[in-house]
Amino acid sequence: MSDLKRAYNFNPGPGALPLEVLQQAQAELLDFKGTGMSVMEISHRSKEFEAVIQTAEADLRELLGIPSNYKIMFLQGGATLQFAMLAMNLRPAGASADYIVTGTWSKTAIKEAKKLGTARAAANTEADGFNCIPAKLDLDPKAAYLHFTSNETIHGVEFFTEPTPPDGVPLVCDTSSNFISRPIDVSKYAFLYAGAQKNAGPSGVTVVIARDDMIERTPENLPVMLDYKTLAASGSLHNTPPSFAIYMVGLVFQWAKKQGGLAAIEKTNRVKAGMVYDAIDQSGGFYRGHAKVDARSLMNIPFRLPSEELEDTFAKEAKKNNLIGLKGHRSVGGMRASVYNAVTIEGATALVDFMKEFQKKNG
Ligand SMILES: *Cc1c(COP(=O)(O)O)cnc(C)c1O
């Protein structure tokens, strides 16, 4: 193990997982809790797996401070299925839903919702290149809900205060890429969802947190795998759940608690992101961040270099230096550093040192 070579992993998703979590999964892989089987090989109705899913839920409740009138579900189909599923469950027939469109993911969410009914944009920052949080919202007081994406993974813009919906309009949030990255007041939300593979585990499981009255909205006769009421009532065990992925997110929740909880994690995340933004700001324009300063994500940091050629060279040389996953999304171009919870300060330091060295040679 001493010659173990781990990459500095800046992948946007699936992203980095804490080394301790991977090591625990490795240690338990062949014989989970004395069963003589891996957690992948045991029944999802066994007492051992029941303990896994219940502990994961309890730890998440503690981490995020989730009140008892909210259900937690571990579902499949990714955040992308939630785009359609939440519209099918939370928007009554004939009603309209509001969406704040701030990047690729919220744009995709409203597109899905429009296939199944009425949805309107309460704001759309596409004309600004999706680089900001909208200053003004045009809100429908009768909307079935107000949906927003708390962190746009591709454009690197993040909401640091929740939008305020009109009285009685539930707030719905795609928190896939900043889930458990800092404390939030869950009571401000009616419904939250997150694909695990950005910040909380492997792909294959999506965490859904739904206030009880949201689950009551589920209409009759939805196909069962699209029906929150059934899935919540079964404790996410209506059918075979993604048991290994649930086990892994459970380990990540335990790891997050060991770090001191979300306040401590936020502190580290601010240090890491701060280092990268400082390197951008102190580069005299060699590196240019995509997002406006007050909307800068703590998780995903897209930035450009003076030319596409230099961007290619940057990605190649970074890779040689064991810095992986820095190529940006094609829609924004350039580079993107994803500094999720599991990216260490050591990793962020290695990136920033490389950025400075690269500029010295190429600036
Ligand atoms: C990655 C991502 C999605 C899509 O997630 P899948 O699990 O791949 O469906 C949706 N929203 C946000 C904010 C994301 O980062």
Side-chain angles (χ1 to χ4, degrees):
M1 290 293 279
S2 58
D3 58 354
L4 175 73
K5 180 179 170 278
R6 291 275 296 164
Y8 293 122
N9 183 353
F10 299 95
N11 274 318
L17 286 167
L19 179 59
E20 296 93 314
V21 164
L22 295 171
Q23 285 170 330
Q24 187 177 343
Q26 182 182 45
E28 293 179 335
L29 189 67
L30 301 185
D31 179 10
F32 181 67
K33 310 266 185 223
T35 57
M37 296 171 276
S38 79
V39 70
M40 287 178 272
E41 300 171 287
I42 64 176
S43 167
H44 57 292
R45 314 233 177 250
S46 64
K47 69 176 184 342
E48 287 84 5
F49 188 73
E50 217 165 78
V52 167
I53 194 165
Q54 284 169 6
T55 306
E57 176 177 335
D59 286 339
L60 181 59
R61 260 185 212 284
E62 187 184 326
L63 272 175
L64 271 177
I66 301 172
S68 59
N69 62 326
Y70 288 72
K71 297 279 186 296
I72 297 171
M73 288 172 267
F74 298 100
L75 306 181
Q76 301 192 56
T80 303
L81 180 58
Q82 293 310 307
F83 295 160
M85 196 167 158
L86 73 88
M88 295 168 93
N89 281 263
L90 306 184
R91 181 181 55 189
S96 172
D98 268 4
Y99 282 73
I100 304 175
V101 181
T102 49
T104 299
W105 289 116
S106 44
K107 190 178 167 180
T108 312
I110 190 173
K111 194 171 160 200
E112 286 294 279
K114 279 181 174 169
K115 289 178 186 168
L116 300 158
T118 310
R120 61 187 279 284
N124 188 333
T125 62
E126 187 159 17
D128 305 307
F130 289 139
N131 70 351
C132 59
I133 299 301
K136 273 206 205 109
L137 301 176
D138 165 29
L139 296 167
D140 172 4
K142 292 203 186 94
Y145 55 81
L146 172 63
H147 180 285
F148 79 112
T149 302
S150 54
N151 185 69
E152 288 284 356
T153 320
I154 291 171
H155 293 87
V157 299
E158 184 168 4
F159 282 82
F160 292 99
T161 46
E162 294 83 1
T164 310
D167 268 355
V169 174
L171 187 62
V172 170
C173 178
D174 176 0
T175 181
S176 292
S177 52
N178 64 355
F179 184 52
I180 65 165
S181 66
R182 53 185 169 84
I184 56 166
D185 180 356
V186 172
S187 71
K188 289 185 178 165
Y189 300 78
F191 187 94
L192 294 130
Y193 62 102
Q197 72 276 14
K198 306 292 162 63
N199 207 25
S203 61
V205 64
T206 305
V207 181
V208 173
I209 302 164
R211 207 170 60 201
D212 289 341
D213 59 313
M214 294 299 104
I215 290 167
E216 288 310 312
R217 288 189 178 198
T218 296
E220 294 299 319
N221 296 325
L222 275 186
V224 70
M225 289 310 290
L226 303 175
D227 169 341
Y228 292 135
K229 202 182 268 181
T230 304
L231 296 167
S234 70
S236 309
L237 296 173
H238 176 77
N239 73 330
T240 318
S243 48
F244 190 74
I246 293 170
Y247 159 76
M248 290 296 291
V249 295
L251 293 186
V252 171
F253 296 156
Q254 283 168 24
W255 172 85
K257 280 172 59 180
K258 266 188 238 144
Q259 306 310 300
L262 299 190
I265 284 179
E266 174 175 12
K267 228 173 172 180
T268 310
N269 285 338
R270 286 192 180 276
V271 170
K272 287 166 1 197
M275 287 166 61
V276 181
Y277 285 121
D278 282 350
I280 291 170
D281 292 341
Q282 291 161 10
S283 72
F286 184 77
Y287 298 113
R288 286 169 292 119
H290 177 77
K292 284 196 175 161
V293 170
D294 61 353
R296 284 174 161 179
S297 165
L298 297 179
M299 298 277 100
N300 309 98
I301 307 175
F303 59 94
R304 303 295 310 249
L305 274 73
S307 70
E308 281 183 26
E309 242 176 290
L310 274 177
E311 288 168 349
D312 281 344
T313 315
F314 183 98
K316 276 188 201 124
E317 289 193 10
K319 199 168 171 194
K320 277 190 212 146
N321 283 271
N322 203 27
L323 302 157
I324 306 300
L326 288 163
K327 198 152 174 44
H329 191 272
R330 60 195 177 279
S331 61
V332 178
M335 321 310 302
R336 170 176 46 169
S338 296
V339 284
Y340 294 126
N341 286 359
V343 173
T344 58
I345 289 185
E346 185 199 336
T349 307
L351 172 60
V352 164
D353 288 349
F354 173 78
M355 287 170 74
K356 289 180 182 158
E357 200 53 42
F358 187 85
Q359 184 182 359
K360 230 185 261 168
K361 272 194 281 180
N362 299 282

